[in-house]
Amino acid sequence: MPPRPPAMPPLPDGSAFLTWLRTPRPEERPGVWRFGHVPRPEEEPERIPGRQLLSGALIAFLVGWLIWSLVWNGYLGGWWLLPLHAMTDSWTSPKSYSRVVFSYTWYVIVASAIMISVGRLGRWGEVWRRYGWPAWRRRTAPVNERPPAPEQDRAAWPTLRSAGAVDAADRLAADARSGLMRDVDYARIARAWQGVRSGRHSLATFASAVLKDGAAACPHPSGARDLPTRLARHDLVAEQVRLGTTADDPRNPYAYRGTGLALGPELLGTSLLAVGPAGSGKTGTVVRPLAESLCLHALAGRAAVVVVGAAGAGLGAADSYDVVVRIGNPESVYDLDLYGGTTDPDEAAAVLAEALVGDLADPHPGSDSRRSTTVLAQLLGPFRAVHGRFPSVPELRQLLDGAPGELGALRTALEGSGQESLLRELDARERQLGHPGDVAGVLADRVALLDRPAFAGFFDTSGQSRPFSLKALDHPVRVRIDLPQRGHAEASRMLARLVLAQFTASVAVREDRSLFACLVLDDATGVVTPEAVRGIQRLRSGNAGTVLTLRSLDDVPRPLRGPLLGATGCRMALAGVTPWDGQDFAEVWGKEWTEARDVTDRQIIAETPAGKAAHALRRVITGKAPTARAVTVRQVERERWSASELAHAVPAGHAVLSLTNVTGEHAPPLLVDLRD
């Protein structure tokens, strides 16, 4: 028998969460990791080398000591005692106590004046700040754990208190102190409170939900409050995910050197293009952290994310997503809606034409696929009017091939229905069949890539499967679409174009644009078309963005490379890019005016013994031989990063990244260590 009853388990501790929540996050330049950031000055202060600084301080001390010795021993005369005699001779005797006190006080004043003078010359203050107590205190200073004032404490929810929801604020503060609240809970409830302030929800409903469930209030539809695993560092208060550290490199602005680099919706809203060869870290160091961050934002009710990549690409566990579409995998629970959930034949035809033959359009920013759209609309409209649905892949293939039975059945069903416009569409389609300029044959060949046994159970339009439509981006949903790769590379590129076209079409008609929508496309090879570039340009106004990765800009037609780089506000060149890819980045990043210094050093030869001794002393102090220096300073215009530097000067695991946020603020190209 135990001697006493078992003790109660200790209550969870919320001190770590409170420390995280109360950490300062100052407003900073785009891309700076704000969590605990200490701002730096704009310009780099002039820093004297340590050897030169210490040598100068020591020599200044010896000079001061020499001057004091000469003064004290009378080698410089007694003039420095005249003020003392003038003040004391008239009222004190030579051996009085007052005379002694005044004398030593005067000695201290003179010695202090000498030491202050030589201390300024020897930069003793800089030595103290760099190597003395201030430097040690900065390295070992403990974190200030004193809680902030209630009106500035996020854990006290001051906005709720000012609005009258004091009970709800007390409940949330108690959950935070007891360790029942997480960062996702804080972000989710803050998002719900924004809905109350904007008028979408009532204060009474919000307060009752918080009083009932506390930190678990306002849950995500999945009920999840966190991801199964996290690989990156996230800050859901500042809405950032840390990707790396800005290198301490002279090519980086001084204010960015050594700071963490992070991205968030305010930067992804201008879209991101990352270019780097295979193995450069696009998926592991860029795509995976961004997908993870967007999934956390979705759990907080802030975002809707669609992640597209090859099966097994390492885009996160299936438990991290609400919907996982495994195209070509018979075990997939969800299917992909080929028509994007629309009921308008013209809209469905435009999206499907972009997916099927968008890469065959003239690679010019002004071209499009109108002829293919017209051909598909001539078939989809009549078919939907007869069957109440769009055709499946085999049916669409037969219609495009011009099978007499299919077209005849549609004509028979439409005759007498009073839909003469649809009959005219069929007549036009039949007249164009077999003409040399008819694109139906090309469309049929592309549809045949999807009419394969591996995709037999997919793209169903009869309602027997669970198709996912990008119309669901009105809600904070997490979606992963796995594309087939082996043996179906062309079909995968076609499906990637389909998802991108549906995404750009869906976000443009969303009702709730306060929800950030993002499409993460792990490999955009063959996806960039003239219509896709135009769609990416329109995303910023719809509070949406894309993340595209490419192995090389050669995967994009030459006329579209400039428009693509111009349409994306964030551009990343990873280590290993080719010089011709670097040339495109160098052109889009432009040039800047810099100060070029041409320095000419001429060694001074001493002829006399005294000169040689002086040169030896100077060499000890500075560590360099005495020289006569001529400096020419001029302003020149140079590329921020040249093509050669991008191809050969970016270390492995690094990238050069330029940023632009949705308000127009931008950061110059930064060399970033993605491994830190």
Side-chain angles (χ1 to χ4, degrees):
M1 294 287 294
R4 52 185 174 274
M8 294 293 292
L11 294 176
D13 183 16
S15 58
F17 173 78
L18 293 177
T19 301
W20 170 84
L21 189 60
R22 291 166 175 165
T23 300
R25 296 168 174 85
E27 293 293 333
E28 264 297 335
R29 301 168 182 82
V32 174
W33 173 252
R34 293 169 51 194
F35 180 79
H37 174 68
V38 178
R40 305 184 69 181
E42 290 283 349
E43 300 294 336
E44 181 178 7
E46 183 179 359
R47 186 176 179 88
I48 302 172
R51 176 180 175 180
Q52 181 179 345
L53 181 65
L54 294 176
S55 300
L58 177 60
I59 292 175
F61 174 75
L62 296 177
V63 170
W65 191 1
L66 175 62
I67 294 174
W68 172 250
S69 298
L70 294 175
V71 169
W72 180 259
N73 293 307
Y75 289 101
L76 299 180
W79 57 268
W80 64 283
L81 295 174
L82 293 178
L84 175 63
H85 295 323
M87 289 186 295
T88 59
D89 286 350
S90 61
W91 60 277
T92 60
S93 61
K95 296 184 179 180
S96 66
Y97 179 76
S98 301
R99 179 69 174 256
V100 173
V101 172
F102 272 96
S103 298
Y104 279 96
T105 302
W106 179 247
Y107 301 154
V108 171
I109 292 175
V110 174
S112 300
I114 294 174
M115 286 297 125
I116 290 174
S117 300
V118 298
R120 288 183 178 274
L121 294 176
R123 296 186 175 92
W124 291 359
E126 178 66 20
V127 173
W128 173 251
R129 288 189 295 271
R130 191 182 299 187
Y131 302 107
W133 170 256
W136 183 84
R137 186 176 60 181
R138 285 194 300 268
R139 291 192 297 265
T140 62
V143 179
N144 185 11
E145 298 181 354
R146 185 176 60 183
E151 61 274 8
Q152 299 177 349
D153 187 7
R154 293 190 182 95
W157 297 86
T159 55
L160 272 66
R161 297 180 187 278
S162 61
V166 178
D167 294 339
D170 291 339
R171 173 64 190 276
L172 294 175
D175 284 4
R177 290 191 300 270
S178 61
L180 300 178
M181 183 176 288
R182 310 171 188 174
D183 55 351
V184 178
D185 298 330
Y186 177 86
R188 186 184 65 252
I189 295 173
R191 165 70 179 178
W193 176 246
Q194 290 179 359
V196 174
R197 299 183 64 179
S198 63
R200 293 195 304 269
H201 311 293
S202 67
L203 177 60
T205 303
F206 172 81
S208 62
V210 170
L211 291 175
K212 177 183 177 183
D213 300 323
C218 311
H220 184 265
S222 66
R225 296 172 60 184
D226 203 348
L227 297 179
T229 57
R230 296 191 190 186
L231 298 181
R233 292 181 59 186
H234 303 273
D235 183 14
L236 294 182
V237 175
E239 302 184 25
Q240 290 182 316
V241 55
R242 182 182 175 118
L243 295 186
T245 302
T246 307
D248 189 4
D249 189 274
R251 288 169 290 195
N252 288 336
Y254 180 73
Y256 277 96
R257 295 179 197 172
T259 64
L261 186 126
L263 298 182
E266 78 284 352
L267 292 170
L268 296 180
T270 62
S271 299
L272 168 66
L273 174 66
V275 180
S280 59
K282 298 187 300 297
T283 301
T285 61
V286 179
V287 174
R288 175 66 185 273
L290 291 177
E292 192 175 275
S293 173
L294 291 167
C295 287
L296 289 173
H297 286 305
L299 291 179
R302 296 173 174 172
V305 56
V306 180
V307 181
V308 182
L315 300 177
D319 295 341
S320 301
Y321 297 90
D322 303 313
V323 176
V324 178
V325 182
R326 298 184 175 95
I327 299 177
N329 189 339
E331 298 179 358
S332 178
V333 178
Y334 290 91
D335 191 4
L336 180 64
D337 193 335
L338 198 63
Y339 302 97
T342 183
T343 58
D344 183 3
D346 293 328
E347 181 181 349
V351 172
L352 191 57
E354 169 66 15
L356 295 176
V357 295
D359 59 327
L360 300 180
D362 182 19
H364 188 275
S367 64
D368 53 29
S369 53
R370 294 182 185 177
R371 294 178 59 191
S372 302
T373 301
T374 302
V375 171
L376 288 171
Q378 290 172 344
L379 298 173
L380 296 182
F383 191 95
R384 180 170 179 79
V386 172
H387 299 280
R389 59 177 177 85
F390 288 122
S392 62
V393 170
E395 292 170 336
L396 180 59
R397 182 181 180 184
Q398 292 179 6
L399 290 173
L400 290 171
D401 282 334
E406 292 292 332
L407 295 178
L410 287 180
R411 175 177 295 279
T412 302
L414 289 174
E415 289 178 350
S417 62
Q419 301 185 33
E420 287 77 10
S421 61
L422 296 180
L423 286 172
R424 288 195 298 271
E425 293 284 312
L426 283 180
D427 292 339
R429 178 86 292 275
E430 290 178 347
R431 287 194 302 269
Q432 295 170 3
L433 282 174
H435 285 194
D438 188 17
V439 298
V442 178
L443 291 170
D445 292 341
R446 288 300 179 92
V447 172
L449 296 174
L450 300 180
D451 190 18
R452 305 299 302 162
F455 308 132
F458 289 85
F459 317 118
D460 180 63
T461 59
S462 62
Q464 298 179 359
S465 63
R466 300 178 63 182
F468 169 75
S469 168
L470 270 74
K471 294 291 184 181
L473 295 181
D474 278 332
H475 310 284
V477 63
R478 303 167 294 165
V479 183
R480 194 187 79 190
I481 301 177
D482 293 344
L483 301 177
Q485 285 293 326
R486 296 183 178 178
H488 302 283
E490 187 62 35
S492 296
R493 287 191 286 268
M494 192 161 54
L495 292 172
R497 288 196 299 271
L498 175 67
V499 174
L500 178 58
Q502 291 183 359
F503 178 81
T504 55
S506 299
V507 297
V509 296
R510 289 189 304 162
E511 296 181 0
D512 183 10
R513 295 195 176 185
S514 65
L515 192 71
F516 179 69
C518 189
L519 171 66
V520 181
L521 193 54
D522 187 37
D523 185 4
T525 301
V527 175
V528 180
T529 65
E531 186 60 35
V533 172
R534 285 193 289 268
I536 293 173
Q537 291 172 340
R538 295 191 295 264
L539 291 179
R540 185 185 303 190
S541 60
N543 193 21
T546 61
V547 177
L548 308 177
T549 67
L550 291 168
R551 295 186 181 91
S552 172
L553 287 177
D554 288 338
D555 296 331
V556 179
R558 166 56 67 181
L560 294 179
R561 295 180 193 176
L564 175 63
L565 290 170
T568 53
C570 304
R571 312 171 189 100
M572 177 184 289
L574 288 92
V577 297
T578 59
W580 43 93
D581 283 351
Q583 184 61 42
D584 291 321
F585 279 101
E587 290 179 359
V588 75
W589 282 331
K591 300 180 180 181
E592 63 179 348
W593 287 99
T594 60
E595 187 179 84
R597 299 170 61 92
D598 297 330
V599 181
T600 303
D601 286 336
R602 180 179 61 85
Q603 185 173 356
I604 303 174
I605 305 299
E607 301 293 343
T608 63
K612 293 181 180 179
H615 285 192
L617 179 61
R618 182 175 175 181
R619 187 180 293 109
V620 170
I621 296 174
T622 63
K624 299 179 181 178
T627 58
R629 173 172 296 182
V631 181
T632 303
V633 181
R634 53 196 176 91
Q635 294 290 327
V636 297
E637 191 177 20
R638 292 179 178 174
E639 292 178 326
R640 299 177 186 271
W641 279 83
S642 67
S644 178
E645 288 177 327
L646 289 172
H648 306 294
V650 179
H654 289 63
V656 180
L657 171 64
S658 65
L659 302 170
T660 304
N661 62 17
V662 293
T663 61
E665 297 180 80
H666 65 277
L670 305 170
L671 179 63
V672 181
D673 186 356
L674 299 175
R675 301 168 300 182
D676 187 2

